[in-house]
């Protein structure tokens, strides 16, 4: 890690990365596995998915609906988790870095503008 | 052509009104699209809800609107499969790409890779891959335009394709991303409105008893219970899984969808717009399958197939029946739905064209050819010329390939995006050891495997294909995803492990992670309001 990042920032960043890994990876793999299982059921268990459950609705149809509900659920669960856990941590890291940048250089206006330091050197075109 | 003369005049009138409205939007927007950031990413000032709607606009191509309802109307439950794939794909978009992409990128996906890898090489390869993917997707839309307009509006196919191409160039060159976004919003709202109105009218016919509707659809389809279960269309199980894999991972790798995440102010807004997409797109996809079953029940497969073999006319025909058949009401609804279908395609091609023009101008011209020594004005000029070129190429290709199957082309574009773009994006974001050789091999192998397998598959050669009817296809898969996606990931891994470690890439990885996770140093929205 570059010298720009102090230990305290590095610790927060590792924490943020670890928390994301522990939450997002199982969520993603779980959802994709559920989808794969539904497709496998469609392909290899035709007798099962043809069973009627209520009225004209069979197992296949309910499985399809379950995928819609699953997607909505993942959307809500993830965005609430990210707003609660990730956003404050990310804001803290940004504040820490901004504070350090202000200490280092007496011109807060330029330094507060994120991106100046890391902006791709090859980019000449500036935003209006 | 399936409407009466009066209906056709009405359709054309609605269609002209719609084009006029979209041109007015472009004119207003053109005064707000200033500078490169204004042109490519609308100054990064789009709100979460607007961007969510615009992504829905990008995702609801002709294949989704007319294709899904048509496929359900003809093949029953197997048509629902596309809906599920398109929907679950949004989980990958939300969890994997939306936020890091917003934090890392400037205008294109290639920016993310260039952040840590050897810039000119990786930019050149990745930008070419993105342009190829967009061209396939664009081709699918343009071929669809020809089919649909001749069917619904009675306009000649060649004229329709040329018209869409020209309108697309006008939107993009004059209005940039601002105009494209507003055209998308306009179209998305029209589409949602039409879908909801048709659904309410349809369910009203069955006393709001959906089960009763499904029973009627099954009975009229001639397949009985089998119509409501999987297996009528997808008889090759591996091919079904392959299609599913391509759909579910492909959306997250589509260049023009990724670009939409640069149009919002920050990562939180990118996340919220992805959740909006889930809600709106999910609901529309669900209603689209319902309309498909409705078309099977009320129009019947014979009438749908007689109008168009692929079933593309199911939704407009259903609208006609729901409006009262040959009455004025029926013609009005038919005209409206046909016009919405046309607006859908127009908006999608505009989104695709601006994506390709960003790749050509920002990546290939500015960074590869001129090594970054280009001013903003020039970058936008080149992008405008590029979008004109892309429009012309799309018109020529579409006229040459009018007989290609639209669903096949769309499926292939998704598989290419999943195999070439997604592995590189995931490795760039999460693997410290990843290097330039790995990125180049993942893109090249993913892309070539996807296209290669499709070319030797049953959709291109053999009895059901478009050429070499005499010989057997070399593979039974029409969808290459199940082979090409793992191939892309494997090539990225092997390419990295077999070559030397890259000090700069590993050094920049921490910077990249800091920026991806916290947004520190990310590109900011333009603050000036015009």
């Amino acid at each position: 890690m570059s010298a720009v990042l102090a230990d305290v920032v590095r610790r927060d960043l590792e924490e943020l990365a670890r928390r994301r890994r522990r939450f997002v990876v199982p969520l993603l793999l779980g959802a994709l596995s559920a989808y794969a299982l539904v497709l496998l059921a469609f392909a290899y268990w035709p007798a099962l998915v043809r069973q009627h459950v209520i009225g004209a609705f069979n197992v296949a149809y309910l499985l399809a609906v379950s995928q819609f509900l699953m997607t909505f659920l993942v959307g809500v669960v993830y965005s609430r988790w990210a707003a609660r856990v990730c956003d404050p941590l990310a804001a803290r890291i940004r504040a820490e870095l901004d504070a350090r940048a202000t200490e280092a250089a007496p011109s807060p206006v330029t330094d507060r503008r994120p991106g100046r330091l890391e902006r791709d050197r090859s980019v000449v075109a500036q935003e209006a | 052509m399936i409407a009466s003369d009066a209906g056709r005049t009405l359709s054309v009138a609605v269609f002209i009104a719609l084009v006029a409205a979209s041109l007015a939007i472009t004119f207003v927007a053109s005064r707000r699209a200033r500078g490169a950031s204004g042109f490519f990413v609308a100054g990064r000032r789009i709100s979460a809800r607007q961007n969510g709607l615009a992504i829905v606009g990008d995702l609801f191509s002709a294949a989704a609107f007319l294709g899904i309802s048509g496929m359900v109307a003809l093949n029953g439950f197997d048509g629902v499969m596309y809906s599920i794939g398109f929907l679950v794909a949004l989980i990958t978009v939300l969890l994997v790409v939306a936020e890091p992409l917003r934090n890392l990128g400037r205008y294109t996906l290639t920016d993310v890779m260039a952040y840590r890898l050897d810039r000119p090489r990786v930019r050149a390869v990745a930008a070419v891959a993105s342009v190829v993917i967009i061209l396939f997707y664009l081709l699918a839309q343009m071929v669809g335009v020809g089919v649909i307009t001749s069917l619904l509006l009675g306009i000649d196919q060649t004229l329709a394709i040329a018209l869409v191409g020209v309108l697309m160039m006008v939107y993009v060159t004059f209005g940039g991303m601002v105009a494209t976004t507003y055209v998308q919003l306009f179209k998305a709202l029209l589409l949602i409105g039409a879908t909801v109105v048709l659904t309410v009218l349809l369910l009203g016919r069955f006393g709001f008893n959906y089960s009763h509707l499904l029973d009627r659809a099954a009975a009229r389809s001639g397949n009985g219970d089998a119509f409501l279960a999987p297996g009528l269309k997808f008889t090759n199980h591996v091919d079904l899984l392959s299609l599913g894999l391509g759909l579910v991972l492909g959306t997250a790798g589509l260049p023009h969808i990724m670009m939409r995440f640069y149009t919002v102010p920050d990562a939180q807004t990118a996340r919220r717009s992805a959740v909006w997409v889930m809600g709106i797109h999910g609901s529309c996809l669900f209603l689209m399958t319902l309309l498909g079953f409705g078309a099977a029940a009320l129009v019947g497969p014979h009438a749908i197939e007689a109008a168009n073999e692929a079933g593309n006319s199911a939704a407009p025909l259903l609208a006609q029946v729901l409006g009262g058949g040959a009455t004025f009401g029926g013609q009005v609804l038919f005209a409206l739905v046909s016009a919405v279908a046309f607006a859908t395609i127009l908006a999608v091609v505009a989104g695709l064209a601006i994506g390709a023009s960003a790749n050509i101008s920002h990546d290939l011209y500015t960074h590869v050819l001129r090594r970054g020594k280009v001013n903003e004005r020039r970058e936008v000029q080149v992008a405008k010329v590029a979008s004109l070129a892309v429009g012309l190429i799309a018109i020529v290709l579409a006229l040459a390939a009018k007989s290609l199957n639209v669903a096949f082309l769309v499926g292939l574009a998704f598989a290419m995006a999943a195999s070439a773009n997604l592995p590189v994006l995931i490795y760039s974001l999460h693997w410290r050891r990843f290097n330039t050789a790995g990125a180049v091999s993942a893109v090249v192998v993913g892309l070539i495997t996807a296209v290669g397998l499709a070319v030797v598959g049953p959709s291109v050669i053999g009895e059901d294909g478009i050429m070499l009817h005499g010989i057997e296809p070399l593979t039974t898969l029409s969808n290459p995803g199940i082979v090409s996606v793992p191939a892309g990931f494997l090539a990225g891994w092997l390419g990295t492990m077999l070559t030397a470690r890259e000090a700069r890439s590993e050094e920049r990885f921490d910077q990249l992670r800091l920026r991806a996770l916290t947004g520190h140093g990310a590109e900011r929205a333009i603050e000036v309001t015009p």
Side-chain angles (χ1 to χ4, degrees):
Chain A
M1 180 163 287
S2 62
V4 186
L5 297 179
D7 277 350
V8 55
V9 173
R10 181 209 289 259
R11 234 188 1 257
D12 277 351
L13 186 66
E14 287 303 327
E15 171 73 8
L16 180 56
R18 196 173 55 86
R19 287 193 172 207
R20 282 196 68 92
R21 231 184 354 256
R22 289 218 319 234
F23 189 83
V24 172
V25 173
L27 190 62
L28 180 69
L29 293 184
L32 293 184
S33 315
Y35 171 71
L37 282 179
V38 167
L39 281 191
L40 286 171
F42 288 164
Y44 296 103
W45 291 285
L48 172 78
V49 298
R50 271 169 195 227
Q51 301 271 332
H52 278 265
V53 183
I54 317 162
F57 301 104
N58 54 19
V59 175
Y61 200 87
L62 295 184
L63 283 176
V65 172
S66 79
Q67 296 296 292
F68 283 84
L69 297 181
M70 175 183 83
T71 306
F72 296 147
L73 194 70
V74 168
V76 171
V77 166
Y78 169 75
S79 52
R80 294 182 70 158
W81 173 83
R84 190 169 50 84
V85 176
C86 295
D87 290 354
L89 212 51
R92 198 165 87 196
I93 296 171
R94 278 200 309 272
E96 180 73 27
L97 287 170
D98 284 351
R100 272 159 200 281
T102 320
E103 275 167 33
S107 164
V109 183
T110 28
D111 279 323
R112 268 230 197 98
R113 180 167 172 168
R116 270 289 154 86
L117 294 172
E118 287 113 14
R119 185 166 287 176
D120 201 332
R121 260 187 310 126
S122 62
V123 174
V124 172
Q126 287 290 314
E127 292 186 1
Chain B
M1 190 54 216
I2 46 187
S4 65
D5 274 350
R8 174 168 145 181
T9 315
L10 197 63
S11 293
V12 172
V14 176
F15 157 72
I16 289 172
L18 209 126
V19 169
S22 66
L23 286 174
I25 292 172
T26 307
F27 177 71
V28 173
S30 67
R31 291 182 299 177
R32 298 181 48 180
R34 294 215 189 89
S37 166
F39 181 83
F40 289 119
V41 291
R44 306 182 205 280
R45 286 184 292 117
I46 306 288
S47 77
R49 187 167 33 176
Q50 284 178 337
N51 193 43
L53 270 173
I55 294 173
V56 171
D58 262 322
L59 289 173
F60 252 111
S61 64
F65 179 52
L66 298 171
I68 289 178
S69 49
M71 209 145 5
V72 172
L74 293 183
N75 303 300
F77 188 83
D78 272 357
V80 177
M81 227 76 97
Y82 273 93
S83 276
I84 305 176
F86 284 139
L87 179 80
V88 175
L90 299 176
I91 294 181
T92 326
V93 173
L94 174 69
L95 297 186
V96 183
V97 304
E99 295 167 59
L101 214 57
R102 170 59 189 88
N103 280 336
L104 288 171
R106 194 172 165 85
Y107 306 134
T108 63
L109 160 72
T110 319
D111 291 335
V112 178
M113 307 176 203
Y115 195 86
R116 56 182 289 208
L117 302 173
D118 177 21
R119 297 197 198 106
R121 255 210 300 168
V122 85
R123 263 198 205 275
V125 172
V128 168
S130 286
V131 172
V132 171
I133 294 169
I134 288 181
L135 273 179
F136 267 87
Y137 206 97
L138 193 55
L139 184 58
Q141 305 301 321
M142 300 289 269
V143 171
V145 160
V147 176
I148 289 157
T149 42
S150 61
L151 187 71
L152 305 178
L153 303 170
I155 304 175
D156 175 62
Q157 277 200 30
T158 310
L159 178 69
I161 289 173
L163 188 68
V164 168
V166 170
L167 280 171
M168 164 183 102
M169 296 184 223
V170 171
Y171 297 148
V172 175
T173 34
F174 288 102
M177 189 52 127
V178 182
T180 306
T181 303
Y182 287 132
V183 170
Q184 295 285 23
L185 287 178
F186 178 58
K187 160 264 179 95
L189 291 173
L190 277 179
L191 189 78
I192 294 166
T195 310
V196 170
V197 167
L198 288 182
T199 306
V200 172
L201 288 174
L202 170 67
L203 286 176
R205 286 286 180 103
F206 292 89
F208 292 92
N209 183 342
Y210 186 29
S211 174
H212 185 40
L213 189 163
L214 288 178
D215 277 332
R216 275 282 296 282
R220 192 155 179 191
S221 73
N223 290 302
D225 240 16
F227 192 68
L228 302 179
L232 276 185
K233 182 180 166 66
F234 301 113
T235 44
N236 180 342
H237 295 157
V238 181
D239 206 23
L240 168 68
L241 297 177
S242 190
L243 172 70
L245 188 69
L247 290 182
V248 103
L249 297 179
T251 308
L254 286 175
H256 67 297
I257 302 292
M258 294 181 161
M259 192 174 175
R260 288 235 56 99
F261 288 108
Y262 302 135
T263 64
V264 295
D266 52 33
Q268 283 81 2
T269 319
R271 180 198 311 148
R272 281 203 302 278
S273 51
V275 176
W276 273 104
V277 181
M278 283 181 167
I280 303 169
H281 197 54
S283 315
C284 283
L285 283 170
F286 181 77
L287 295 182
M288 228 48 96
T289 64
L290 202 142
L291 294 179
F293 283 118
L298 292 179
V299 184
H302 294 301
I304 295 170
E305 247 182 329
N308 174 270
E309 257 182 62
N312 286 326
S313 55
L317 284 175
L318 175 68
Q320 193 172 27
V321 170
L322 290 174
T327 64
F328 181 67
Q331 277 161 2
V332 169
L333 266 192
F334 180 88
L336 281 177
V337 171
S338 305
V340 169
F342 195 77
T344 286
I345 302 173
L346 268 183
V348 172
V349 295
L352 286 164
I354 198 157
S357 74
N359 280 129
I360 295 171
S361 162
H362 177 63
D363 292 330
L364 292 179
Y365 177 77
T366 304
H367 287 289
V368 178
L369 213 62
R370 305 290 306 271
R371 303 285 153 134
K373 293 178 197 67
V374 173
N375 65 29
E376 196 180 354
R377 180 189 285 270
R378 184 86 182 133
E379 196 173 21
V380 173
Q381 278 171 354
V382 173
K384 289 181 174 179
V385 174
S387 66
L388 292 178
V390 168
L392 280 178
I393 293 171
I395 293 174
V396 171
L397 284 180
L399 290 177
K402 274 190 284 198
S403 63
L404 276 174
N405 179 308
V406 176
F408 161 72
L409 285 171
V410 169
L412 181 56
F414 272 79
M416 285 156 75
S419 320
N421 280 349
L422 199 64
V424 179
L425 185 64
I426 289 180
Y427 285 145
S428 299
L429 291 174
H430 301 287
W431 190 21
R432 185 182 302 267
R433 169 79 163 86
F434 192 49
N435 64 18
T436 307
V440 172
S441 16
V443 171
V444 171
V445 171
L447 197 70
I448 290 180
T449 318
V451 178
L453 274 178
V455 166
V456 299
S459 290
V460 175
I461 60 175
E463 247 181 284
D464 304 323
I466 50 168
M467 57 185 196
L468 304 173
H469 296 283
I471 66 168
E472 281 286 301
L474 301 179
T475 152
T476 53
L477 291 176
S478 347
N479 297 289
I482 208 161
V483 179
S484 63
V485 175
F489 275 99
L490 188 67
W493 184 76
L494 276 179
T496 303
M497 296 313 279
L498 293 179
T499 50
R501 299 180 84 104
E502 213 169 288
R504 181 176 174 273
S505 169
E506 296 188 30
E507 239 174 69
R508 298 271 292 175
F509 178 70
D510 283 308
Q511 288 291 333
L512 175 137
R513 215 165 48 147
L514 173 71
R515 184 160 158 178
L517 290 176
T518 67
H520 183 264
E523 296 282 340
R524 298 218 304 186
I526 296 185
E527 276 156 25
V528 270
T529 33

